[in-house]
Amino acid sequence: MIAKVTRGADVGNLLRYLYGPGKRNEHADPHIVAGYRHPAALEPQRSTGGRPDLRPLAEALRSPLETMRRSRPTEPVWQCSLRTAPTDRPLTDEEWANVAEELMHQTGIAPRDDQEACRWIAVRHADDHIHVVATLAREDGRRPNITRDYLKARTACQVVERRYELRRTAPADRTAAPRPTRPEIERARRAGVSEPTRCALRRWVAAVAASAGGEEAFFAGLRERGLLVKLRFSVRTPGEITGFAVADPSYTNAASAPIYFSGGKLAADLTLPKLRHRWGGASVDVPSARRAARMRRSGVGFDERNQAYREAARAAATAARHMRQTNDPRVRADIAAAASDVLHVAADITGNRELAEIADVYGRAAREPFGRPTVATRPGNGLRVAARLVAAVNIGTGDQRDRRRDLTVELLFLVANLLDVVDELAAHREAQGRVAQAEAARRAGDRLRVVGRGASAAQVRPTPPNVAEVQAAGRLAAESFPVPLADGLRHIAARPSRPIPQQSQTRRGPKL
């Protein structure tokens, strides 16, 4: 169950919306299931035409504002939407009433057995959700304490999930990236684009942050992509940069001004202080890091690109081995975060849509609560340097298809080794009790298997028994990966797969 808290100034307008047809005629049979009094006493009377008279209810909810000891708040109307998952069973009116009462108790707006609590109602007009409306004025003239109400609402949802055996959701730990708002989603739909601008910006910023080694390279990389960058400076220390925001020049408001998103509005781990911690922790004296910077300044040939992919695959294999062997949660957390960098870079340089979506899903599993930075470790640093190295060797001019057409096998080795990290992370999150993050890791792993299975089938089974199944999987793997994958595999089909040198275990192909 999820909860969304909003504030408003006029309870009358909100009631008219709740008892109206809805924006898409989705409101069916709106009625009160719970409140500060019995629902039957609160339900609006209806005229002969069936239209509810909402004025008495609105006046009853507003009434405590007139007796407040202090000045009334500018937004005295508190509203929370509670929705169950699509897979959950429909709750009865009595169960929804219990849910609303638990919400009011947990938030402190109307605790149980408090006769002086705020006035509130819960309106249901669909099987899967209700709207809880409260006036932020107690009967004794005081204001309720609603500090961190969204976290308290999340706690109420978890209590109800256990009580009614609903789908379990994660605590409010900010491991999930901020979701696009409804206006952003509607605007993307009207424009005919596949995703809101916020999602695209998050992916671009994450990829640039993973491939950059510091602030200067990061901001330069954002501008090279055609993004607008706005820096925030300290008011105490002139010239000190304390934050940033990015914008797509084509995404503007009504005044034709670009709409900026700060790093924290994209993801909890993309704020400038946390990015600085990441770059500083990974800036140990690693020869590959210096080589990556050198490659950015000069052209690279096929051999160097090939070697970079192989080194990245070895770093991923080493990280997977550490994930299996260590019990230190700090090491596992750092490897998980670094693997997210590699996935974002791989998706960025290949342009593969499926890989980009996998990186987004995996980002939820790899992120620490509230975006807390991880402690730098050697295997994690190895993955981060590998990400920068792979990004560096793919910068340049010329025919991209020709430059990367022989690197399909090396990229598949990298994906296969990252899959081992993802699987270990799923088990680790499950042991930690982080249900949503464990599920995100499993989803990312399942989709990575589809990519690897489709590519492997195209390589070693030219005439598989189930052609339709392999073709469907192969299409996911082949989409812009890094050339049309079938072309790259045909080029290498006549020769045996090459194992990665200097590896403790020889691989003949991607692990399935």
Side-chain angles (χ1 to χ4, degrees), residues 161 221 277 302 317 337 413:
E161 289 163 1
H277 185 278
F302 168 78
F413 274 121

Side-chain angles (χ1 to χ4, degrees), residues 389-411:
L389 194 60
V390 170
V393 298
N394 283 279
I395 294 177
T397 57
D399 187 351
Q400 298 290 319
R401 291 167 60 93
D402 181 66
R403 289 174 62 243
R404 295 185 295 199
R405 67 178 299 111
D406 287 338
L407 298 177
T408 303
V409 172
E410 284 68 27
L411 188 57

Side-chain angles (χ1 to χ4, degrees), residues 19-49:
Y19 274 87
K23 294 184 177 180
R24 299 181 182 83
N25 295 316
E26 71 273 21
H27 294 181
D29 186 27
H31 59 281
I32 296 176
V33 296
Y36 71 100
R37 296 173 60 189
H38 193 278
L42 294 171
E43 188 65 43
Q45 298 295 320
R46 295 182 180 269
S47 64
T48 55

